[in-house]
Amino acid sequence: MTHGSSNLSHKRLSISSNQKYLLFLVIFGIFALFFVLEGRSLEHKDSVRFAEISREILEFNDWILLRLGGRIYPDKPALHFWLTALLYKIFGISPFVARIPEAVAGFCGFLITFFFAKKILRNSETAFLAAVILLSAYGYFFWAKRTRIDIELAVFYSMSLIFFYYGVETPNRRHKIFWYAGFWIATGCAVMSKGPVALTNLAVVISYIIIVVRNPDHRKISPKLLAISSPIVALPILPWVIPLLKHPQFSAFKEAYDQTVIMHRGFSFFTYFYDFPIRLFPASPFFFLGLWGFLRFRKQLANRRGLGFLLLWIGVYVFILHLSSAKNARYLLPIYMPCSIVAAWAIMFYGEKFPEMFGKIMLW
């Protein structure tokens, strides 16, 4: 009886601790992302452009064909501009309102990191640290307070791969269908945020399937079920595409789209080698320690499939991005979440394995 009471008290203490972590994250995230969000004008040309496109949705009362300065804007899908225009309609037009969609997306990504890290690392303290690391990363915090689309893309992209991982790990077929459907819906939302670039998540999925198929428990991945559920990806996309095809000015949109040149950045081939650790700072040293530690102690960490999935996600995405002609720091955002989790794990792992040495490092 005493032993049972002790277990119950421990459980209550654990639940209370989790709630305290979550409460702190909610307060901290709201303060960090929304405080003085209206404190300055839209100073960058891209910030002005994205805010203006949303304003012109209301001016022309056309939610299908995007416009900038009255001219057709074919560069991006409509999701971000719909969200901003809807907020304009409710709260009025201002820099603060224009920044809300990215701040909300950044806040959601911040909390999702906590829950996913807790799932794969089975430790609330490490999950808490992962979330704080994500928001402290210079690149993530910077873009979460702008009017660009990249944080939205990063969050939907991350959600899609998290749902896929949950689907793989659950043994229940009905639950697996649910998570795979979530993967395709999140992928569709990512496409509606920034276009086909979101489909690079399929390279991560295919790579993971190839690796897992070699293991004895490969049947649990159910690749056929994943493929059969793929038409769900169209659900977030068709509400825009079908009306666009029927729009009276669709031929003008198509002509403008055909003339659009995707911007190529003239940065060095090695841009991401130095841009990545700068934008992920201050977590970048711990991320690289985590990467080395996983490779060095991989036999001891064989049961840490979640960490392996995160590193595969990072590696495949960086490989594709590095070989592309598009070079910009904000394109790294879809890997900030897994990098933060790996960095948090590294701090805990080395703190337990080499307490004296790593304790001095952390103190410094």
Side-chain angles (χ1 to χ4, degrees), residues 19-160:
Q19 290 173 342
K20 287 179 181 178
Y21 281 135
L22 187 57
L23 178 62
F24 177 86
L25 291 176
V26 169
I27 295 172
F28 175 59
I30 290 173
F31 175 79
L33 293 171
F34 291 92
F35 182 65
V36 297
L37 201 60
E38 81 291 350
R40 63 189 188 284
S41 61
L42 302 177
E43 67 280 3
H44 191 274
K45 63 179 182 179
D46 287 337
S47 299
V48 175
R49 181 189 300 127
F50 280 53
E52 173 62 16
I53 292 168
S54 302
R55 189 196 67 79
E56 293 189 27
I57 288 178
L58 301 182
E59 180 183 339
F60 289 92
N61 195 28
D62 188 346
W63 294 74
I64 303 303
L65 200 65
L66 304 177
R67 294 175 177 85
L68 177 62
R71 301 178 63 181
I72 294 172
Y73 181 80
D75 293 34
K76 300 288 189 295
L79 182 58
H80 171 81
F81 307 105
W82 285 350
L83 295 173
T84 308
L86 183 62
L87 290 169
Y88 281 166
K89 197 166 187 176
I90 298 171
F91 300 109
I93 299 170
S94 70
F96 174 80
V97 176
R99 294 188 179 103
I100 288 177
E102 293 305 284
V104 170
F107 180 73
C108 291
F110 172 63
L111 292 184
I112 289 168
T113 300
F114 172 74
F115 289 112
F116 186 51
K118 187 171 178 291
K119 164 74 174 179
I120 63 174
L121 300 178
R122 300 181 293 276
N123 185 294
S124 296
E125 187 178 353
T126 311
F128 172 81
L129 184 59
V132 173
I133 284 173
L134 176 67
L135 195 55
S136 72
Y138 166 68
Y140 189 88
F141 179 77
F142 179 86
W143 289 110
K145 296 174 78 72
R146 298 300 184 273
T147 64
R148 297 294 304 232
I149 303 172
D150 303 275
I151 286 287
E152 285 172 43
L153 169 67
V155 172
F156 283 127
Y157 190 99
S158 299
M159 285 175 62
S160 71

Side-chain angles (χ1 to χ4, degrees), residues 48 74 110 216 220 226 251 322-323 334:
V48 175
F110 172 63
K220 72 177 185 178
L226 181 66
S251 57
H322 182 66
L323 294 183

Side-chain angles (χ1 to χ4, degrees), residues 310-329:
L310 294 177
L311 292 173
L312 180 72
W313 169 354
I314 296 165
V316 171
Y317 181 84
V318 170
F319 177 76
I320 295 172
L321 189 63
H322 182 66
L323 294 183
S324 72
S325 57
K327 297 287 190 291
N328 194 295

Side-chain angles (χ1 to χ4, degrees), residues 150-259:
D150 303 275
I151 286 287
E152 285 172 43
L153 169 67
V155 172
F156 283 127
Y157 190 99
S158 299
M159 285 175 62
S160 71
L161 290 175
I162 290 171
F163 290 158
F164 166 74
Y165 181 79
Y166 277 26
V168 170
E169 290 299 307
T170 183
N172 186 296
R173 185 175 177 83
R174 185 175 297 178
H175 293 170
K176 196 178 291 291
I177 293 172
F178 171 80
W179 290 118
Y180 283 169
F183 163 77
W184 289 115
I185 290 173
T187 299
C189 290
V191 170
M192 278 296 292
S193 293
K194 203 166 182 177
V197 66
L199 297 176
T200 56
N201 66 350
L202 297 179
V204 180
V205 168
I206 292 170
S207 300
Y208 191 71
I209 290 174
I210 291 172
I211 292 171
V212 172
V213 161
R214 298 166 57 187
N215 296 333
D217 59 347
H218 70 276
R219 291 184 180 180
K220 72 177 185 178
I221 201 168
S222 300
K224 288 184 179 179
L225 185 61
L226 181 66
I228 291 170
S229 61
S230 61
I232 298 175
V233 74
L235 290 180
I237 301 172
L238 291 181
W240 179 59
V241 171
I242 292 176
L244 181 63
L245 293 173
K246 296 180 178 180
H247 197 282
Q249 293 182 270
F250 175 72
S251 57
F253 171 85
K254 188 176 183 304
E255 183 180 351
Y257 180 81
D258 292 339
Q259 294 175 1

